[in-house]
Amino acid sequence: MTHPLNPAIIFFMQSNFLMRIWQTLRDIPRWFRPGLGIRRWFFFVMFGVTLLGLGFAVILIDLYRTDSSNPVLLILLSYASLRFIPRVWRALLFGGLGIGIIIYGILQLNRSLLKPFIRPGSDVFDQLAEFRRRERGPRIVAIGGGHGLSTLLRGLKTHTGNLTAVVTVADDGGSSGRLRESFGILPPGDIRNCLAALSNDEAMLTQLFQYRFSGSPDLDGHSFGNLFITALADITGSFEAAVVESGRVLSVNGRVLPSTLHDVKLVASMELPHSNNEVRVEGESKIPEMAGRVRRVWLEPDNASAFPPVIKAILNADVIVVGPGSLYTSLLPNLLVHDLLSAMHASRAIKIYVCNIATQSGETDAFTCYDHVRALEGHVGEDLFDVILCNDNYEGVIDKASTWVRADEKTLSDSRSYCTDLVDDGHPWRHDSQKLAQVILDIFFERTGPLGDRTI
């Protein structure tokens, strides 16, 4: 004999069911907010259901007229159509019930279909709203290399999905240099860092991609991501295809593109200390190690053409950001690609140079913000940038081998200068990714808003 359910349990089950219905009804209005792309399709579905209802009604009316002598059928139709209730209330009741069922069914169908793709802790609406917000974000091209570019991308990806990272391929040191020499591919290191920074998966996959082997003579110093990209390049037959496939694996929010597909080498002319003599230094990794001051850098061959998708991205951009990063070994190798530089000059985007927070030993010793800009424009020409973004927070302890890159009087006298706090409080020698991204977005909206002085 089955025992009856406890009344408290019945009440709890009923209240839990009612609570779920109430939560569903309460969440309905937010699905019709502008920009989500839901309303148009909801009304499209409603129109189709209305036509279906009209067709069903025509059948019932025809059945009622042709078989009106059957009393059982007449009674059933009378009760089914609620003829004992005034017509206006019947219309409201049937219409409201139908709309509620349609909305509930659509929501539950979406949840069932999208459940495998929803991150834990968020629902369908949160995911859709976030996707639409980033989809409408400005088209930003970030140019550089090294950890500085990764920091910038990590902040920008939360604001826009229209991101393109243009990465230098002049690296010839460490794991990238060894793979470049052994397999004849472009250096994957900086591209790997950018892919990891743009990944939507900040947990295991990114850690795996950044994992560096140790202990084995053959694998020592190699990162898993570098080996992965190298293997994909061999499988797909091209380096650019390997980068695209790696981005799919990491589910990156944006694109990562090499500045050129040519095997270029960075060469510097350096002034020796306590001497007027200059020496030629070949190789990106050897320039910071050489004692002396960099006078000029160039690429060999100097006629390397830019990767065509890079040109297209620059010409279509709303904002182009150069930096932060090593001035001579991360930023200039991109800008020395002539096609890329020409596209920047032709682009109507807002062009922002992000100056480093601290000097880099062997490259920019004792440089001020003005020194960075002067060295940069000495290679690529003046008036390329619309905004010079500098840090003005000098609190904290940085490496003894470095000094603060200060916004001196010459910098402040430049109308393009924009100084603000960009420091990562935990690591004062680095940029804070969120602060930097927010400032760049603020500059963009200031320049393109109703009171802005230019239109994109």
Side-chain angles (χ1 to χ4, degrees), residues 86-99:
R87 185 172 299 174
V88 175
W89 289 106
R90 277 187 282 166
L92 293 176
L93 180 61
F94 282 122
L97 186 62
I99 291 175

Side-chain angles (χ1 to χ4, degrees), residues 253-454:
N253 182 32
R255 296 185 300 168
V256 180
L257 304 174
S259 57
T260 178
L261 296 181
H262 290 260
D263 184 16
V264 294
K265 177 171 58 177
L266 186 65
V267 184
S269 175
M270 301 189 65
E271 182 181 304
L272 297 176
H274 312 296
S275 172
N276 292 327
N277 296 329
E278 293 186 9
V279 296
R280 170 190 169 100
V281 180
E282 296 184 2
E284 176 268 342
S285 61
K286 297 180 177 62
I287 294 174
E289 299 174 355
M290 185 71 180
R293 186 181 183 90
V294 179
R295 304 291 295 178
R296 188 171 66 93
V297 294
W298 64 93
L299 295 178
E300 289 186 355
D302 64 352
N303 60 347
S305 58
F307 187 31
V310 170
I311 302 298
K312 183 177 180 181
I314 289 174
L315 294 177
N316 292 331
D318 297 320
V319 181
I320 299 174
V321 184
V322 176
S326 302
L327 176 62
Y328 292 107
T329 55
S330 291
L331 306 186
L332 278 171
N334 293 296
L335 301 180
L336 292 174
V337 179
H338 299 302
D339 294 347
L340 189 152
L341 183 60
S342 298
M344 282 190 65
H345 280 290
S347 175
R348 300 182 65 229
I350 300 172
K351 305 173 188 72
I352 302 174
Y353 168 59
V354 181
C355 192
N356 290 342
I357 286 178
T359 60
Q360 183 175 356
S361 179
E363 282 199 43
T364 56
D365 298 284
F367 269 37
T368 64
C369 186
Y370 173 76
D371 293 327
H372 279 80
V373 176
R374 183 180 61 178
L376 194 62
E377 293 187 335
H379 286 80
V380 301
E382 297 182 357
D383 300 326
L384 175 63
F385 298 102
D386 301 304
V387 179
I388 308 298
L389 187 54
C390 309
N391 170 63
D392 62 2
N393 177 9
Y394 310 123
E395 297 180 2
V397 179
I398 60 175
D399 192 342
K400 293 181 179 179
S402 300
T403 58
W404 294 106
V405 176
R406 296 182 179 273
D408 52 354
E409 293 183 3
K410 292 181 179 179
T411 301
L412 297 176
S413 64
D414 191 333
S415 60
R416 300 174 297 171
S417 297
Y418 190 109
C419 299
T420 187
D421 175 16
L422 298 174
V423 166
D424 182 345
D425 296 329
H427 305 87
W429 58 92
R430 296 178 184 171
H431 288 82
D432 182 280
S433 59
Q434 294 304 324
K435 289 181 183 178
L436 181 57
Q438 188 60 57
V439 169
I440 290 172
L441 267 293
D442 290 344
I443 293 173
F444 168 72
F445 289 120
E446 286 176 9
R447 296 294 186 97
T448 59
L451 300 180
D453 57 3
R454 62 184 292 170

